[in-house]
Amino acid sequence: MATQTKTSKQKESKFQQLFIDEIKDIYWAEKHLVKALPKMSKGATSSKLASAIDKHLEETKVHVSRLEEVFTMLGLKPQAKKCDAMEGLIKEAESILEDTDADTMVRDAGIIIASQKVEHYEIASYGTLVAFAKKIGLKDAASILNKTLDEEKATDTGLTKLAVSEINDEASEE
Ligand code: FE
Ligand code: FE
């Protein structure tokens, strides 16, 4: 707002509060993904899918620590706020493991659907967080969040390739 003068002592705006709330939301989400991804990887039939998930698990751990860096930049202690959406997406992923047979490609196709829903949630979140950080003038936070955004997008693209190039073919023949 052009009429509002900014001072460092000033209480954060509603927009900044929204930004911080959303950081807390995705922090909860990332921390829960660190726990959930190993189950997906273990449940996968294809070793390529398992290693794609394992690779993203390692990236996800970095996503958690990047968010902790952002909290520090904001002068805040890391704090997670329950993300109902991610809780639901993780539950869906777990029910795919229950509803599909082990050692089938149909299961892998299901794991990919569930994983891509998760990645899309993250892409939506980080896309907005980058834009908010830029708007607030938090350049460093924006560039940290953007690194994660790129990894979420790359993961999503990689999963599409894996599905289209082999897993869906094999699943459709089972
Ligand atoms: Fe992530
Ligand atoms: Fe992710």
Side-chain angles (χ1 to χ4, degrees):
M1 258 187 283
T3 51
Q4 203 173 4
T5 49
K6 282 179 193 160
T7 67
S8 57
K9 290 272 161 64
Q10 198 173 345
K11 207 174 157 276
E12 70 239 0
S13 68
K14 297 276 185 205
F15 188 69
Q16 284 169 307
Q17 282 173 24
L18 179 60
F19 174 72
I20 292 166
D21 273 354
E22 290 296 319
I23 293 279
K24 290 177 181 173
D25 173 285
I26 198 71
Y27 185 54
W28 190 100
E30 294 282 19
K31 282 172 42 133
H32 281 74
L33 285 169
V34 168
K35 288 185 222 161
L37 288 175
K39 287 181 232 165
M40 299 300 124
S41 161
K42 243 186 231 168
T45 303
S46 142
S47 60
K48 277 191 196 170
L49 178 58
S51 59
I53 296 169
D54 289 341
K55 178 180 177 238
H56 197 54
L57 169 63
E58 292 315 305
E59 288 174 343
T60 300
K61 291 177 187 169
V62 177
H63 299 173
V64 170
S65 53
R66 285 191 190 131
L67 289 168
E68 289 167 351
E69 262 185 79
V70 171
F71 278 110
T72 305
M73 286 175 171
L74 294 165
L76 300 170
K77 265 196 236 159
Q79 195 192 335
K81 188 177 147 204
K82 191 178 168 201
C83 173
D84 293 325
M86 189 56 73
E87 183 181 52
L89 290 170
I90 290 172
K91 271 190 197 156
E92 269 192 36
E94 287 167 351
S95 60
I96 281 173
L97 289 182
E98 284 164 26
D99 297 345
T100 55
D101 295 323
D103 302 318
T104 64
M105 286 299 176
V106 168
R107 169 177 280 191
D108 281 14
I111 291 173
I112 291 177
I113 294 173
S115 303
Q116 289 194 285
K117 287 181 184 178
V118 166
E119 294 316 309
H120 280 245
Y121 181 84
E122 292 184 296
I123 290 166
S125 301
Y126 282 105
T128 300
L129 287 170
V130 169
F132 276 31
K134 283 183 185 162
K135 190 75 219 167
I136 296 167
L138 300 167
K139 262 195 189 167
D140 293 346
S143 91
I144 287 177
L145 294 166
N146 198 52
K147 277 188 213 167
T148 298
L149 176 61
D150 284 343
E151 288 168 4
E152 310 295 15
K153 285 181 181 168
T155 300
D156 180 54
T157 305
L159 288 170
T160 297
K161 274 189 196 145
L162 194 54
V164 172
S165 69
E166 49 193 291
I167 288 177
N168 291 352
D169 286 341
E170 292 183 48
S172 69
E173 280 162 19
E174 281 175 348

